Amino acid sequence: MFNINRARTERLLWAGLFTALLIAAVSCLWVSVSTFPDPGWGFLTWKNWQHGGGFNLLPEPNPKNIATDTLTFLTWWSPGQYLVPGSIASFTGIKLGWAMAITSILFTLSGVCGCYFLYDKLRFNRITVLLSLLLLCSQVQTLLPFSVYNGGEVLIFGIAPWFWFCCLDFKLKPFRLLLLVLLSWIGFTAKSSFLLITLSGFGFIFLSWISKRITLKELALKTSVLIVAALLIVLPIFFLFLQKGNNPSAAAKGFDFSALDFFYPAAIPLLTAFSADEVFNHFAHPDFQENLSQTDVFFYAAAFLFLVFVLSRIYFNYIGSVAYRWLLFSAYLFFLCFFMLQYCRHAAISMEGRHFRLLGLLFLPGVVQLIRQVKINALKKALRLLLLALCVYSWNDAFGRWRNNSEQTPGENTRVIQDLLDDETLSKIHQLDRQFPQQCLFVLMSPEIALEIEHNRVLVFPFDTYAQTAKRKTFAGKVEKLFLIVPKEFASGTSDQLIKASFTGYKNFQEEKISDAYVLLTGL
């Protein structure tokens, strides 16, 4: 019998979902976006490629003689973060900031659509699916790329749900196998951590075969084919890309174990599904830091116990399909083992919830279904209020970022919001770049700022690092004009002396105040 109330609820949820995505997309296109340093490095290789350089090569001034450049093959980040918006900008003629905004919109829509079909395939009912998607579209990490282009994070979100969907519908046929291989290559191009998604997907396929109690001979045959497919994915990626340079996983600093190294990756997947990690960090760590305090272990230990409770309810209450429970188990196991090992090795991988967001996508419908099954009205209302509060926090965070972007002038060359600079400094950079074409070396604090330089060379110089230690990299040689755009807090005292001493070919610098926040140092 047709349920009128259910149909009305579905229509309201669809309306809420479309409204959320529409607001985010319009706000993004209305103002444009800023970007993080990680994609900024990639876009510098894109600029080099557009000006006749080789693919994925990052030009940097040679420390032995800053009049010349060295080229580094950039393997720290996958190239998709700049290839997609860069290609959109090239083919359409729009500026890079608009291309970033369009990329964020397209891949977010792709991720939301992929999650819809994934959750439906995992046999969650329509109300649970739509509630999950509405919650998904009201989380910090979903809304973030509509104000700050975060490169591989938004790209991998647009691809991963479709890969898992193909794993659920997998049959040992050449076309299906080729599709998984191609999606894995595309996913790696978007973000290197997609290899973890691939392994978890292949692990799920293997476990699903075991659960069907097939013969040992058939299992061995199927597993060998799966291993061959995995090698077809990994070997080209390794020889054509990874072995050409360094990457976060390879950059380890020893090995030791702490409780936080276990409890953080064990607990964070559930937290990041609802932006609870963002709320905790907002109050516990107002200033961003990649490595958490050891005292945070108490919070994450408690969160882990709650996650264990949630997992037990999912399995004992038979939430979703059998495939859902196998996929959740395999993905959680792969993520936990990988990140725990990397944190123990002190690899260059930050403790941030964004690394676990895709795993959080699998927890999301299961938790929503559990909440819908709660029988105690007071508890159910409390949980709903908690979810509402987390969504309000996420939208408030998104509005704050949008407001900050709207109050700043985008770069005239890229239409990217340069949130590290004030208008006077940005204008000064453009003026000097036009006034002295092919004569200058600009020394800037972050790679995304360097995107505004059209006619000259750039050295990205993290002043906060170089101004604090005498054991810093030095740069010899001279160029026709050397311009250092220095934050005011580093333009005096010992910091100022260390920065100037980093350029051994210069004995004196002319100082000019650009604004209340920045100083221009010109090498003499």
Side-chain angles (χ1 to χ4, degrees), residues 257-272:
F257 176 79
S258 69
L260 188 62
D261 294 331
F262 169 76
F263 283 117
Y264 180 80
I268 197 64
L270 181 59
L271 298 177
T272 195

Side-chain angles (χ1 to χ4, degrees), residues 136-213:
L136 173 63
C137 292
S138 299
Q139 301 307 313
V140 170
Q141 289 299 323
T142 305
L143 297 171
L144 179 64
F146 291 100
S147 55
V148 185
Y149 176 69
N150 54 359
E153 301 295 342
V154 69
L155 298 184
I156 197 174
F157 170 62
I159 301 169
W162 296 105
F163 178 83
W164 274 329
F165 178 83
C166 292
C167 289
L168 291 172
D169 200 34
F170 179 75
K171 293 179 177 63
L172 203 60
K173 295 181 179 180
F175 173 76
R176 299 293 181 91
L177 207 58
L178 179 61
L179 181 60
L180 287 187
V181 172
L182 290 176
L183 278 175
S184 296
W185 286 340
I186 293 170
F188 177 83
T189 303
K191 188 172 172 63
S192 57
S193 61
F194 196 89
L195 284 177
L196 196 56
I197 302 295
T198 298
L199 289 175
S200 67
F202 279 25
F204 161 75
I205 293 172
F206 177 75
L207 290 175
S208 65
W209 287 339
I210 293 178
S211 66
K212 293 177 182 177
R213 299 180 181 178

Side-chain angles (χ1 to χ4, degrees), residues 56-271:
N56 206 47
L57 293 177
L58 177 67
E60 296 178 294
N62 189 342
K64 296 179 180 179
N65 181 8
I66 58 176
T68 62
D69 278 340
T70 60
L71 295 173
T72 304
F73 192 84
L74 192 67
T75 55
W76 199 267
W77 301 279
S78 293
Q81 62 177 351
Y82 66 83
L83 283 178
V84 176
S87 298
I88 292 174
S90 294
F91 288 128
T92 63
I94 62 176
K95 292 190 175 181
L96 197 55
W98 295 127
M100 292 181 191
I102 292 172
T103 300
S104 295
I105 293 171
L106 291 178
F107 277 82
T108 298
L109 291 175
S110 173
V112 172
C113 291
C115 285
Y116 174 84
F117 287 104
L118 177 65
Y119 297 164
D120 182 68
K121 189 73 174 179
L122 292 171
R123 295 185 184 174
F124 288 97
N125 64 53
R126 188 67 58 83
I127 298 295
T128 297
V129 171
L130 293 177
L131 277 171
S132 299
L133 294 180
L134 187 56
L135 286 170
L136 173 63
C137 292
S138 299
Q139 301 307 313
V140 170
Q141 289 299 323
T142 305
L143 297 171
L144 179 64
F146 291 100
S147 55
V148 185
Y149 176 69
N150 54 359
E153 301 295 342
V154 69
L155 298 184
I156 197 174
F157 170 62
I159 301 169
W162 296 105
F163 178 83
W164 274 329
F165 178 83
C166 292
C167 289
L168 291 172
D169 200 34
F170 179 75
K171 293 179 177 63
L172 203 60
K173 295 181 179 180
F175 173 76
R176 299 293 181 91
L177 207 58
L178 179 61
L179 181 60
L180 287 187
V181 172
L182 290 176
L183 278 175
S184 296
W185 286 340
I186 293 170
F188 177 83
T189 303
K191 188 172 172 63
S192 57
S193 61
F194 196 89
L195 284 177
L196 196 56
I197 302 295
T198 298
L199 289 175
S200 67
F202 279 25
F204 161 75
I205 293 172
F206 177 75
L207 290 175
S208 65
W209 287 339
I210 293 178
S211 66
K212 293 177 182 177
R213 299 180 181 178
I214 61 177
T215 65
L216 189 60
K217 181 180 179 180
E218 187 180 0
L219 178 63
L221 177 62
K222 288 185 172 183
T223 303
S224 63
V225 174
L226 204 62
I227 290 173
V228 171
L231 291 175
L232 286 175
I233 295 168
V234 173
L235 292 180
I237 287 174
F238 177 78
F239 287 109
L240 297 178
F241 191 84
L242 291 178
Q243 63 92 25
K244 293 186 176 183
N246 208 346
N247 61 77
S249 180
K253 303 176 183 177
F255 188 95
D256 63 69
F257 176 79
S258 69
L260 188 62
D261 294 331
F262 169 76
F263 283 117
Y264 180 80
I268 197 64
L270 181 59
L271 298 177

Side-chain angles (χ1 to χ4, degrees), residues 307-338:
L307 181 142
V308 171
F309 170 77
V310 169
L311 279 177
S312 66
R313 293 297 89 201
I314 287 175
Y315 281 86
F316 290 134
N317 289 11
Y318 300 103
I319 299 298
S321 63
V322 174
Y324 170 68
R325 298 189 289 276
W326 277 117
L327 181 59
L328 182 61
F329 170 78
S330 60
Y332 182 71
L333 180 65
F334 274 99
F335 270 75
L336 175 59
C337 292
F338 175 81

Side-chain angles (χ1 to χ4, degrees), residues 280-352:
F280 172 74
N281 288 325
H282 174 77
F283 292 103
H285 309 291
D287 297 323
F288 171 77
Q289 56 186 57
E290 291 189 351
N291 298 311
L292 301 178
S293 169
Q294 289 298 319
T295 57
D296 290 340
V297 71
F298 298 107
F299 171 77
Y300 290 108
F304 171 65
L305 294 178
F306 182 67
L307 181 142
V308 171
F309 170 77
V310 169
L311 279 177
S312 66
R313 293 297 89 201
I314 287 175
Y315 281 86
F316 290 134
N317 289 11
Y318 300 103
I319 299 298
S321 63
V322 174
Y324 170 68
R325 298 189 289 276
W326 277 117
L327 181 59
L328 182 61
F329 170 78
S330 60
Y332 182 71
L333 180 65
F334 274 99
F335 270 75
L336 175 59
C337 292
F338 175 81
F339 281 100
M340 184 172 66
L341 176 62
Q342 299 310 317
Y343 291 145
C344 288
R345 294 173 62 241
H346 297 284
I349 299 177
S350 59
M351 286 187 168
E352 295 181 79

